[in-house]
């Protein structure tokens, strides 16, 4: 057992890496602590004051921090306070689904600058039509940001399907996309804009939004279930998004469950698509039908229709069985349900929690909470924008246009 | 969406943290790179040379590094090379199971100093008897290390059951332990030795051993299945052991599978206990019976006994179904089978892999490898020792006895 057979897995740091990660460290500290002096930052980061001054100067030049007033201490000159510069950059997140496209733009502190949602019929359309629709919405957002004097930091697109580790869309079942390079296509249609364009899975991005902005922000281990047309899970593990070896982590659909005594897979029982099919007998094929079917189910449930309430409760139970397997495996602090699960929660959450508590082996101690999202709709679009902001914390700092890098 | 509502989740660094994490950084780099000069270390870590010199001086004083020869460069004086000091400390890992106790001692580079295994009947015995047995083996190891002039760095005990985040054993089914504070009991029986004593789950520790010393060392995402009497999984996610919110992550036993057409849970089909029960019709209750039953099954399988081969192949298929659910969820690079799965692999691995490939949704691209461990027996004991070594990489550096801290 010698060391020679081991792969060198530790990331090799070099000067550039160290500088970048220290820039990210300063940004993260200012973001989480609020207004801070250079001396505060030196104290909390353990970096020396000259280094902090140099990092702060660079971050101000890059339009990421700004000076904002002073704090008077006990002795000496008042200290200048630094805060996140929310005036210059905008991060744009877009969410494409079978029944809508949503766009969210945020400043560097996560305040919403734009929050748009438009209906859209994405069922099995030519991917070029979807790309044109995304591009049109993006151009409108770019124009608005331009008027406000803001630079677009990056654009990220959330899709309800498999995205590989390099950001290529491998498969989006209901949109009929297979092997489409959305980012490359968008770059072309948008005329090669100066900002980066990325793609990720909607559940992954939803989990990022919850981890930064949700009611359980900062929770080390959380699972987010999309509750859009198909069922997907995004996993935060140890405060990081877990993508897995090939970027496919969080595929929960195929977990075996029972439904009314029969062996099924959870995706065929408890996805929104399956819920609507089993409760209305139809197979929605346009946005109007998804929304109308959901409306009908909610009306029936609210009026106490026995069959509806019984079915929703049985579906909740199946969902809870799948959550038990997932929670035994991952032991998260919380499971957050998003999308269309939010209005359905009164009828599915109690049985889901009950099945989870009964089935999970390892939860005798503290248990896991199952909650609905506290975020507005467009969680995945917000998550896409969050993904862009997180890259700054990780040390990937932008250079404003018109300045040499 | 303001920042004020967010919990501050970033770890606050202070000077002591920074020093400790830099000490760990130097240790990790020397370990992974092999003999390195102070200048090499400054270059790869991005730390300045004075800081590196100071860190190295401290690590030499603490008996963690030593100088070992020189390298001649193109110009100037020859550079002194630093290497891990393997002569002073010993990390002791112990593994308790229903049918044996194993002890492994390693130096700071993971070279085995001791590797002991003794039969032991642990089924539902008084925990005090188990603690006495562990203590006796530990005392023998301590005496041997003492003769060699080595100091025991720490002792860690691997148990096949639930261990909470604070290292308390909550439940070990087959050993009949419930709420036992093994570490405290051992400290008392051993007369309060000067080194720390910890406890962790055997699957977690096995995963650590695989990640540092196995054939897939350094793989970012791997799952280790124990293959001892009961079935357990340890998860390495993003190069870290994932324990979950309460320390219970990796409970795979309750994943629903089919076995010969019937709905079952994987732990009731594919654990070693269940395999032996279904193939020999007995319920082993002593070490002699576990080993004898396994021997009998292997003999029958090797001779081509049709019922045995058929059942093992069906069990492999059920195991593969559970792995499919786990792999869809976690998307690891590799699944490693340990313990008694190793001799059984020729009959269960082919159907396990087939079921995994057929059932997993997200593996169309590259797939996951299922392999048997390349490590000797006592993987969990080695893992316990590995857990001790990993703490040094994380910046928890010991002070040799007889020196003030």
């Amino acid at each position: 057992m010698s060391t020679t057979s081991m792969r060198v897995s530790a990331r090799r740091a070099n000067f550039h890496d160290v500088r970048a990660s220290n820039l990210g460290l300063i940004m993260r500290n200012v973001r989480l602590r609020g207004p801070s002096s250079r001396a505060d930052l030196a104290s909390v980061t353990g970096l020396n004051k000259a280094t902090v001054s140099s990092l702060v100067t660079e971050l101000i030049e890059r339009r990421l921090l700004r000076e904002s007033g002073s704090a008077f201490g006990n002795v000496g000159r008042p200290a200048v306070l630094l805060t996140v510069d929310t005036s210059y950059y905008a991060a744009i997140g877009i969410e494409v689904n079978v029944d809508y496209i949503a766009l969210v733009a945020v400043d560097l502190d996560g305040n919403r600058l734009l929050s748009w949602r438009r209906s859209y019929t994405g069922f099995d359309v030519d991917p070029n039509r979807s790309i044109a629709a995304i591009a049109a919405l993006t151009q409108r957002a770019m124009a608005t940001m331009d008027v406000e004097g803001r630079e677009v930091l990056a654009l990220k697109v959330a899709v309800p399907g498999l995205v590989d580790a390099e950001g290529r869309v491998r498969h989006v079942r209901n949109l009929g996309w297979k092997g489409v390079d959305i980012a490359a296509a968008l770059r072309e249609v948008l005329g090669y804009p100066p900002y980066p364009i990325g793609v990720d899975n909607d559940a992954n991005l939803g989990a990022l939004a919850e981890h930064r902005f949700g009611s359980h922000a900062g929770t080390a281990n959380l699972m987010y279930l999309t509750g859009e047309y198909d069922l997907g899970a995004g996993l935060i593990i140890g405060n990081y998004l877990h993508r897995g070896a090939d970027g496919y982590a969080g595929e929960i659909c195929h977990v075996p469950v029972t439904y009314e005594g029969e062996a099924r897979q959870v995706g065929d029982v408890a996805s929104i698509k399956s819920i609507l099919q089993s409760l209305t007998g139809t197979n929605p094929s346009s946005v109007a039908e998804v929304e109308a079917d959901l409306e009908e189910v909610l009306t029936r449930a609210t009026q106490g229709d026995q069959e509806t309430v019984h079915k929703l409760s049985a579906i909740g139970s199946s969902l809870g069985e799948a959550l038990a397997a997932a929670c035994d495996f991952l032991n998260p602090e919380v499971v957050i349900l998003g999308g269309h699960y939010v209005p359905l929660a009164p009828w599915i959450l109690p049985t889901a929690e009950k099945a989870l508590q009964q089935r999970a082996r390892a939860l005798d101690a503290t248990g896991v909470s199952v909650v609905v999202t506290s975020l507005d709709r467009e969680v995945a679009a917000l998550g896409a924008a969050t993904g862009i902001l997180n890259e700054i914390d990780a040390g990937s700092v932008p250079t404003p246009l018109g300045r040499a890098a």
Side-chain angles (χ1 to χ4, degrees), chain A residues 110-129:
Chain A
N111 304 295
R112 286 204 199 198
L113 305 168
L114 302 172
S115 191
W116 296 338
R117 184 186 181 103
R118 44 168 287 196
S119 293
Y120 164 76
T121 304
F123 286 96
D124 290 315
V125 302
D126 181 345
N128 288 323
R129 270 193 51 201

Side-chain angles (χ1 to χ4, degrees), chain A residues 44-62:
Chain A
V44 294
T45 60
L47 298 170
N48 71 50
K49 288 184 188 176
T51 304
V52 169
S53 283
S54 153
L55 293 166
V56 165
T57 301
E58 180 169 347
L59 292 168
I60 291 173
E61 283 172 8
R62 288 178 185 269

Side-chain angles (χ1 to χ4, degrees), chain A residues 257-264 318 321:
Chain A
V257 294
T258 54
Y259 175 68
E260 306 276 34
E262 277 180 37
R264 304 282 290 276
S318 302
E321 275 184 53

Side-chain angles (χ1 to χ4, degrees), chain A residues 13-305:
Chain A
N14 59 36
F15 179 75
H16 184 76
D17 282 346
V18 172
R19 177 86 184 174
S21 98
N22 283 339
L23 289 167
L25 183 66
I26 296 290
M27 286 302 296
R28 192 163 65 248
N29 273 282
V30 173
R31 177 165 75 75
L32 293 170
R33 292 170 45 88
S36 310
S37 70
R38 288 168 177 80
D40 293 339
L41 292 169
S43 152
V44 294
T45 60
L47 298 170
N48 71 50
K49 288 184 188 176
T51 304
V52 169
S53 283
S54 153
L55 293 166
V56 165
T57 301
E58 180 169 347
L59 292 168
I60 291 173
E61 283 172 8
R62 288 178 185 269
R63 307 293 304 264
L64 296 167
L65 289 185
R66 65 186 174 82
E67 296 185 334
S68 69
S70 306
F72 290 88
N74 291 328
V75 290
R77 287 182 303 166
V80 177
L81 295 180
L82 298 153
T83 185
V84 173
D85 186 346
T86 56
S87 68
Y88 184 69
Y89 282 113
I92 300 182
I94 289 191
E95 177 182 356
V96 195
N97 218 303
V98 292
D99 51 344
Y100 64 89
I101 297 183
L103 181 148
V104 165
V106 297
D107 67 23
L108 289 189
D109 227 4
N111 304 295
R112 286 204 199 198
L113 305 168
L114 302 172
S115 191
W116 296 338
R117 184 186 181 103
R118 44 168 287 196
S119 293
Y120 164 76
T121 304
F123 286 96
D124 290 315
V125 302
D126 181 345
N128 288 323
R129 270 193 51 201
S130 302
I131 286 157
I134 298 169
L137 209 60
T138 304
Q139 277 162 331
R140 224 177 95 199
M142 285 167 69
T144 312
M145 293 298 98
D146 201 44
V147 167
E148 294 188 9
R150 285 182 185 273
E151 184 182 330
V152 174
L153 185 58
L155 171 69
K156 201 178 272 278
V157 183
V159 299
L162 297 178
V163 178
D164 69 18
E166 279 74 45
R168 279 185 303 265
V169 176
R170 289 194 51 85
H171 190 204
V172 183
R173 194 160 35 146
N174 295 297
L175 289 170
W177 296 354
K178 205 156 191 171
V180 184
D181 191 340
I182 300 287
L186 267 178
R187 262 191 292 276
E188 191 182 333
V189 174
L190 290 171
Y192 301 96
Y195 51 80
I197 299 178
V199 182
D200 204 344
N201 171 266
D202 61 348
N204 284 351
L205 295 170
L208 283 185
E210 293 293 345
H211 187 250
R212 183 146 168 175
F213 297 115
S215 58
H216 289 69
T219 300
N221 306 286
L222 69 81
M223 177 158 80
Y224 173 75
L225 293 190
T226 51
E228 301 305 337
Y229 196 62
D230 260 339
L231 175 60
L235 309 175
I236 300 288
I237 296 182
N239 286 308
Y240 285 91
L241 177 63
H242 175 60
R243 297 173 192 279
D246 309 296
Y248 300 152
E251 285 298 328
I252 195 176
C253 285
H254 289 224
V255 174
V257 294
T258 54
Y259 175 68
E260 306 276 34
E262 277 180 37
R264 304 282 290 276
Q265 296 187 329
V266 68
D268 297 337
V269 174
S271 68
I272 296 299
K273 176 175 63 179
S274 304
I275 292 176
L276 295 183
Q277 281 174 11
S278 100
L279 281 149
T280 66
T282 64
N283 189 352
S285 64
S286 80
V287 51
E289 291 174 40
V290 173
E291 304 239 317
D293 285 358
L294 186 66
E295 207 53 55
E296 188 189 324
V297 169
L298 289 170
T299 304
R300 279 199 246 146
T302 308
Q303 290 170 347
D305 175 69

